[in-house]
Amino acid sequence: MKVLVTGATGFIGSAVVRALLRTGASVRVLVRPQSNLKNLDGCAVEVATGDLLDAASLHPAIEGCRQLYHVGAHYALWARDPAIFYKINVEGTKRVLELARDAGVERIVYTSTIGAIGLPESGGLGTEDTPISLAQMAGDYKRSKYLAEQEVRKLAEAGLPVVIVNPSAPVGEYDIKPTPTGQIIVDFMKGRMPAYVETGMNLIDVDDVAVGHVHAMERGRLGQRYILGHRNVMLRELFEMLSQITGIKAPSVKLPRAVVLPLAHLNKWLADFITHQPPRIPLEGVRMAKYLMHYDCSKALRELELPQTPIEVALEKAVRWFRAHGYA
C-alpha cells in the first residue's frame, strides 16, 4: 500500500517515515526542491518533488496513494514575512486535503499542534474538548495552525476521512532545525541559559509521536482529535533533567516575565527591521510562558495505545544526537 507523507524531512515527519517503514509500508515523501534530505538518509522512500503552495506539483505526489499523513507546516516562532504561516499552514493544508479527497485517498492523518487545544480558565489540564478561540492564540504559528485545524474539521464534517493529532513538545533524535524545544536543549548544552522564565509544558519522545500517527491512521476515529503527549513538567524540571544527563549546572535565577517581555519586544524589532534573523529572545515564546501548557493525554493512551517512553530517555537521545551532529 502506497502512503504519502508531507513534511517528511522535518523532525516529526521523518520520525513518521521511519515508523511507517518499520511496518513495511511503501512510503512516498513530498519534498520541496530546496529541501534538506539529511533526515531521510538510509530511508527507502520514493521522493516526489513538490510544494504545498503549488497545486499542480501535488497531483503526481498524491496519485496512487491510499493514505496521507499531512505533517508539513511552517513551524517557527518568528518569520520575516508572517504571511508565510498562513499560506503554508492554512491554504496549503486545505489545498492538499482537497486534492487527496478528489484523488480518492482512503484515510488521512492531519498533524495539528497542542497550541490549538484550549486550557481551562480556572487552571488544570487541557483536553481535546477544552474550548479555545483565535483571540487566545499567541503568535502567527499558533493562529495559522488553529485556522488550519478549523478548515480540516469543516472538511471532516463534509465527509473527509481524516483524523487529527495534536502533538505536544516532542524531543529526541533528528531535530535538525532545531524546533523551539530542541533549541532550549541546545542553548542549555551551550551554557546559554544563565536564567529562565518559568513555564509549563508537556513533553513526549518524538518516536512515540510517530507511532501515535501510525496508530491514529489504523484505529483513530474519523473527525476526532488526539493529544499526542506524555509528561507535564515545569521548565525548571526540564533543566534539572538535562543537568543530570549532561553534568551542566541548571540555571537557578528565575526571572519575572515582566522583566523579559520588553527585551523580547526589542529582539523582535531588531529581527524585523535590522538583522532579519530569528530573535534570540522570541516574543511569542515569552508570551506563551504565562500559560502552563499541561494536558490530559489519556484519550490517545486509551484509543491509540500511544507509547510513553520515559522523558529522561528521550532527552538522553536528544543530547546524544545534538552532540554527535555538532550542535553543542
Side-chain angles (χ1 to χ4, degrees):
M1 177 177 61
K2 183 72 70 176
V3 178
L4 177 64
V5 181
T6 71
T9 60
F11 186 35
I12 292 178
S14 63
V16 170
V17 168
R18 291 188 293 275
L20 285 167
L21 291 175
R22 287 194 293 271
T23 71
S26 176
V27 179
R28 179 184 295 162
V29 298
L30 176 70
V31 302
R32 292 175 296 169
Q34 69 272 31
S35 290
N36 180 348
L37 304 184
K38 195 174 182 66
N39 267 359
L40 296 177
D41 284 352
C43 295
V45 297
E46 177 187 346
V47 176
T49 302
D51 194 305
L52 294 175
L53 303 180
D54 179 7
S57 74
L58 298 176
H59 285 285
I62 293 172
E63 185 179 3
C65 291
R66 292 172 57 188
Q67 296 180 346
L68 166 65
Y69 291 84
H70 179 41
V71 189
H74 187 72
Y75 180 30
L77 296 182
W78 175 87
R80 186 173 180 180
D81 179 8
I84 193 66
F85 289 106
Y86 303 92
K87 289 178 180 178
I88 294 177
N89 297 349
V90 184
E91 297 170 25
T93 290
K94 187 177 180 183
R95 182 177 297 114
V96 74
L97 294 194
E98 288 177 341
L99 289 170
R101 175 200 61 199
D102 296 344
V105 172
E106 297 171 7
R107 200 166 166 94
I108 301 165
V109 170
Y110 167 65
T111 309
S112 184
T113 174
I114 198 70
I117 301 281
L119 290 166
E121 292 184 7
S122 58
L125 304 180
T127 74
E128 288 84 355
D129 298 320
T130 306
I132 194 170
S133 69
L134 186 61
Q136 296 171 276
M137 299 284 102
D140 291 295
Y141 171 71
K142 281 193 175 183
R143 281 193 285 269
S144 67
K145 291 294 283 186
Y146 170 82
L147 292 171
E149 189 174 309
Q150 299 312 300
E151 294 295 332
V152 174
R153 294 174 85 171
K154 288 177 190 174
L155 289 168
E157 289 171 4
L160 186 75
V162 61
V163 179
I164 301 169
V165 292
N166 300 76
S168 61
V171 292
E173 299 173 308
Y174 299 96
D175 193 356
I176 195 168
K177 198 172 182 178
T179 60
T181 309
Q183 190 63 55
I184 291 174
I185 298 171
V186 170
D187 286 345
F188 179 91
M189 294 170 67
K190 288 184 171 181
R192 292 180 177 172
M193 287 285 182
Y196 66 100
V197 177
E198 186 64 287
T199 188
M201 63 190 72
N202 183 285
L203 300 176
I204 183 170
D205 189 313
V206 71
D207 293 326
D208 292 348
V209 171
V211 172
H213 278 69
V214 176
H215 287 184
M217 183 67 79
E218 294 172 349
R219 65 193 80 167
R221 287 183 286 146
L222 295 181
Q224 292 288 306
R225 62 205 312 219
Y226 295 89
I227 296 173
L228 302 185
H230 179 194
R231 181 170 160 187
N232 294 311
V233 303
M234 300 301 291
L235 185 57
R236 173 66 186 176
E237 293 177 74
L238 171 59
F239 289 146
E240 289 171 350
M241 287 187 281
L242 288 172
S243 181
Q244 289 291 319
I245 294 166
T246 64
I248 299 169
K249 186 177 179 181
S252 57
V253 179
K254 182 168 70 173
L255 298 175
R257 279 183 66 255
V259 171
V260 180
L261 196 56
L263 296 175
H265 277 285
L266 175 60
N267 268 240
K268 185 177 187 302
W269 182 86
L270 290 170
D272 287 342
F273 300 107
I274 306 297
T275 68
H276 304 302
Q277 297 295 321
R280 281 285 298 124
I281 305 175
L283 177 60
E284 305 312 337
V286 176
R287 283 176 171 164
M288 287 188 289
K290 72 177 180 179
Y291 302 105
L292 292 183
M293 297 186 70
H294 288 170
Y295 297 89
D296 178 354
C297 310
S298 59
K299 181 179 178 181
L301 269 66
R302 183 175 62 253
E303 297 189 21
L304 305 183
E305 296 185 5
L306 178 69
Q308 301 280 266
T309 300
I311 292 304
E312 293 85 351
V313 174
L315 290 171
E316 286 175 5
K317 290 194 290 186
V319 167
R320 262 196 324 269
W321 191 86
F322 284 132
R323 279 178 173 162
H325 291 82
Y327 287 78

